[in-house]
Amino acid sequence: MDETFDAVIIGSGFGGALTAHALVDAGWSVLMLERGDWVDRGEAASKVENFVLYTPHFAKDCGYRVSQQSRRTVQIGGLFCVGGASVFYGGVSFRMRESDFTPAAEIVADSGAEWPISYDDLEPYYADAERIIGVSGSDTGDPTAPWRSSPYLTPPSSFSPVSEIIARAARSLGLHPFPMPRAIHEGGEPGRAKCIRCGACDGFACPVSAKNDLATKIIEPLMDRGLRMASGTAAVRLVTRRGRVEAVECVERSSGNRFTVRAREFVLAAGALATPQLLLASELDRLNPAGDAIGRYLMRHVNTLNYGYLREPVTDDGFGKDLAIHDFYDGDPAPDAPRGPLGGIQSLPTPPLDLVKLQAPPPLPWVARRFFRRGAGLMTMAEDQPRPENRVTLDHGRDSVGLPGLHINHYYTSRDLAADRALRRRAGRILRAAGALFMYRRPIRTFSHALGTVRMGRDERTSPLDDVCRFRGVENLRVVDASVFPTSSAVNPSLTIAANALRVAASMTAGDLDSLTVAEEVA
């Protein structure tokens, strides 16, 4: 491309889309590069064959190799599409808790992890992100709710029937279930379809575009206002000169054509796996005083599915992912629980029966047919420790666009696993109180909540990014995706990625204003 842009953004997920929103608002010329393509919508989107793992957007040709505790095959690949993971996520949109920004010693250990910002610094951007994305919710009943400067746009809908059973059971144990905040349009916005509760939300593109994913809610409107989108285009190398990125080398996937794009500012938002891959492939670790930390401190939460078989059939209205329990978020007094923060418990919808048949080994599909109308699910999400040995490194071979492969090395610590066990015990008690006769548990082995790898911090020797996520050693490069997290907290990370991206974009546009003021004074 001959044109030089004000900013090139690599990646169209929460970090990339919200940065683009702010920069386009400020009048910048912005080009967004996205390796994937647009996801088809309509009725077919909710069919089982369009579950995220079966779509061409879940690419297994990106050269990822995984070492981890489980010897079972892990379903790992790159999710590449316009809007990123938001197209297939369940819409859960939590703010991190205030305590998460001053993480406990039990979590930090000797990692040196620290947040160079506080919840107060991020709060106004959380409010903006909720408004821009469209998040419904209520803090009533949430024992860990952080303070907020403005209420949610709309209240949450009532619990689904199966979640109401779980809520009653939790209350009987003295716990405090509350509605999860969600980016789902359930009515009230003119000209938009509302949620039809078809059950095809988590893991599917919304067939009626009622889920406020970034492709439909943010990126399409931004294109009408000047955002340039290059979908199906992979960034393969950042070209630097004298401490600045001059250009990014790209590959058009459909044709294999290579070209270069220039800009005055570059924003990297490819995710906690692909972002360090591009930085290392571009040898930018050599320019950063914390270059050895790039790719390290990979986190992914410790997530487990806990399903109970209830005495009586339950009605599932298609959306059971609507309830959370945070009574053990900051700790559990039980003597067999580890000291310090644990995490949360969230309700789960019953997965489509056809999906279970496709994914589960025999005889589970036969069992699932009898389980289907009596299932109540809870997911436990424990905070994991940032460890330097959990990392991504460049591997042998090349992927389909010529990038070096990636070796992902991740092992949970003994404390991570102890936190998971403690939350699973609590989830089991809730399900038994709800009438569960027996339970089935399954760990989540995906990297859907991959975090860390290019963390921000105050110490330039241990944190590749400064407090506004500028890449140390390169003046005009910022990172705005999940890789910037020093610690993982124990809530879904999407809203924090979005809020932080708005904060970083504000620092970029404020720099523009400072330059303009100086120029006016000189004149």
Side-chain angles (χ1 to χ4, degrees), residues 119 184 191 211 343 447:
Y119 175 82
I184 307 289
K211 180 165 58 178
F447 286 83

mmCIF file of all heavy atoms in Angstrom, residues 119 184 191 211 343 447:
data_model
loop_
_atom_site.group_PDB
_atom_site.id
_atom_site.type_symbol
_atom_site.label_atom_id
_atom_site.label_comp_id
_atom_site.label_asym_id
_atom_site.label_seq_id
_atom_site.Cartn_x
_atom_site.Cartn_y
_atom_site.Cartn_z
ATOM 1 N N TYR A 119 -7.495 0.085 39.834
ATOM 2 C CA TYR A 119 -8.884 0.021 39.355
ATOM 3 C C TYR A 119 -9.416 1.426 39.099
ATOM 4 O O TYR A 119 -10.120 1.652 38.106
ATOM 5 C CB TYR A 119 -9.766 -0.698 40.375
ATOM 6 C CG TYR A 119 -11.225 -0.688 39.987
ATOM 7 C CD1 TYR A 119 -11.736 -1.606 39.080
ATOM 8 C CD2 TYR A 119 -12.097 0.282 40.507
ATOM 9 C CE1 TYR A 119 -13.076 -1.571 38.698
ATOM 10 C CE2 TYR A 119 -13.434 0.315 40.131
ATOM 11 C CZ TYR A 119 -13.911 -0.616 39.220
ATOM 12 O OH TYR A 119 -15.234 -0.569 38.833
ATOM 13 N N ILE A 184 -25.347 -9.052 25.567
ATOM 14 C CA ILE A 184 -26.393 -9.688 24.778
ATOM 15 C C ILE A 184 -27.555 -8.703 24.656
ATOM 16 O O ILE A 184 -28.009 -8.157 25.672
ATOM 17 C CB ILE A 184 -26.907 -10.988 25.439
ATOM 18 C CG1 ILE A 184 -25.752 -11.946 25.760
ATOM 19 C CG2 ILE A 184 -27.957 -11.657 24.561
ATOM 20 C CD1 ILE A 184 -25.114 -12.594 24.577
ATOM 21 N N GLY A 191 -34.342 -1.178 15.846
ATOM 22 C CA GLY A 191 -33.682 -1.654 14.634
ATOM 23 C C GLY A 191 -32.795 -2.861 14.815
ATOM 24 O O GLY A 191 -32.108 -3.264 13.869
ATOM 25 N N LYS A 211 -26.033 -10.995 19.842
ATOM 26 C CA LYS A 211 -24.839 -10.919 20.686
ATOM 27 C C LYS A 211 -24.018 -9.720 20.216
ATOM 28 O O LYS A 211 -23.794 -9.545 19.018
ATOM 29 C CB LYS A 211 -24.038 -12.221 20.569
ATOM 30 C CG LYS A 211 -22.777 -12.244 21.405
ATOM 31 C CD LYS A 211 -22.220 -13.657 21.559
ATOM 32 C CE LYS A 211 -21.910 -14.331 20.241
ATOM 33 N NZ LYS A 211 -21.342 -15.677 20.426
ATOM 34 N N GLY A 343 -11.266 -17.820 43.267
ATOM 35 C CA GLY A 343 -11.883 -17.527 41.981
ATOM 36 C C GLY A 343 -13.385 -17.587 42.067
ATOM 37 O O GLY A 343 -13.973 -17.451 43.139
ATOM 38 N N PHE A 447 -7.010 -22.779 25.320
ATOM 39 C CA PHE A 447 -6.339 -21.534 25.688
ATOM 40 C C PHE A 447 -7.241 -20.345 25.379
ATOM 41 O O PHE A 447 -6.778 -19.287 24.960
ATOM 42 C CB PHE A 447 -5.004 -21.415 24.950
ATOM 43 C CG PHE A 447 -3.933 -22.330 25.493
ATOM 44 C CD1 PHE A 447 -3.867 -23.652 25.095
ATOM 45 C CD2 PHE A 447 -3.013 -21.872 26.426
ATOM 46 C CE1 PHE A 447 -2.897 -24.515 25.596
ATOM 47 C CE2 PHE A 447 -2.044 -22.719 26.940
ATOM 48 C CZ PHE A 447 -1.982 -24.043 26.523
#
